[in-house]
Amino acid sequence: MQKLLLAALFVGVAFATLGVDVSQNFYVPVFKCLHDNGYDFAIIRAYCSTGRPDDSSVHTVYNAWEGGMKHVDIYMFPCPKCGNPAGQVRDAIAHQRAYNTTYGMFWLDIEEPSYWMDQGSNRNFIQGLIDEARAEGQVVGIYTNLYQWSSIAGDWSGAAGYPLWWAYYDGSPSYDHWQNFGGWSKPAIKQFQGDATVCGADIDRNWYP
C-alpha cells in the first residue's frame, strides 16, 4: 500500500529522485524499508549545533549504504557562537576519517538565526567553513532557504558557487515557488517536507529532478 501511494503521489514527475535526511541513528532494516519505498539517497548529520561531531553519524552512514542507498552525503550543523569554524570542520571530517566512512557531498547547514551573530561575522564564519572544507578535499554544498539566508547573511552571494540544498516545505517534489536569493538562480536539491514518518522513522523528505 505504501509503495502504491508513493507512486501515485509522484506520478508525472520525470526522473525524480527521492531521498531522506536524518539526525539520529537508524539501523539497516529502516534504510532497506526506505529504499523499498522509493528513497535512493540519504544525508546524515555529522556535526551538531552544540559544537561536536555527531557520535551516531558513522554507524548511520554505514547503515545507509548497507540498506541500499545509492548515494550517501553528510551535513554539518555548525556552532557559530563557539567560534573557530576551521576547527569545527576539521573535527567533523576527522571523526568520519577515523572510521573510514564513504560519502559524497559535505553540506553546511545554515539556518536558525538565533544561533548566529551579526551578518558581517556570519559571512566570515561561513566563509571559514567553506575554506576549510575545501582545504580538506570536501565537495561543499549549502543547506538553507530565502528567510534563513537573508536573516543570517543578508544579501551576501559569497557561497553562490556551491550547490544549494533548498528547504521549502510545500509538500511538492518540484521547484515551484523558487525565488532567487544569495546569488543562487536554482537549487540542486529541495527538502520539501520535514518531520515525516516513513518506515517508522522520523525523516525529512528530499527530491531532485
Side-chain angles (χ1 to χ4, degrees):
M1 176 62 73
Q2 206 167 20
K3 291 182 182 179
L4 293 174
L5 290 173
L6 190 67
L9 179 62
F10 296 107
V11 65
V13 181
F15 308 111
T17 301
L18 297 174
V20 301
D21 64 274
V22 302
S23 57
Q24 55 187 301
N25 185 30
F26 292 133
Y27 295 106
V28 173
V30 171
F31 284 108
K32 285 184 175 178
C33 178
L34 289 168
H35 179 262
D36 289 345
N37 279 275
Y39 295 89
D40 286 332
F41 69 90
I43 308 176
I44 313 299
R45 186 180 67 184
Y47 196 88
C48 304
S49 59
T50 52
R52 59 174 180 79
D54 187 328
D55 291 335
S56 70
S57 62
V58 169
H59 299 292
T60 309
V61 168
Y62 277 115
N63 292 343
W65 285 119
E66 190 172 345
M69 294 292 109
K70 295 179 181 177
H71 307 283
V72 180
D73 295 345
I74 62 174
Y75 76 91
M76 174 183 185
F77 198 136
C79 177
K81 294 179 181 178
C82 297
N84 192 11
Q88 291 187 43
V89 169
R90 285 194 297 270
D91 287 347
I93 296 169
H95 188 66
Q96 299 301 313
R97 286 177 174 164
Y99 294 91
N100 296 312
T101 60
T102 300
Y103 56 89
M105 296 287 294
F106 182 81
W107 297 96
L108 299 172
D109 188 337
I110 311 299
E111 62 173 323
E112 298 292 347
S114 62
Y115 286 87
W116 291 77
M117 302 160 288
D118 64 273
Q119 290 184 354
S121 299
N122 294 342
R123 294 174 182 181
N124 290 335
F125 189 90
I126 295 167
Q127 190 65 61
L129 295 172
I130 292 171
D131 290 347
E132 187 61 28
R134 291 189 62 194
E136 291 286 341
Q138 304 299 294
V139 183
V140 177
I142 305 293
Y143 169 92
T144 194
N145 62 24
L146 172 60
Y147 168 74
Q148 303 287 351
W149 187 262
S150 299
S151 299
I152 292 167
D155 60 357
W156 187 55
S157 60
Y162 302 95
L164 174 65
W165 175 12
W166 175 48
Y168 192 86
Y169 290 176
D170 61 355
S172 173
S174 71
Y175 290 152
D176 293 345
H177 308 117
W178 166 257
Q179 299 178 59
N180 293 352
F181 70 93
W184 287 289
S185 59
K186 64 179 181 180
I189 300 176
K190 179 184 178 185
Q191 185 186 72
F192 65 90
Q193 184 181 7
D195 295 324
T197 301
V198 182
C199 297
D202 183 16
I203 63 163
D204 298 326
R205 301 170 72 195
N206 301 270
W207 167 90
Y208 63 83

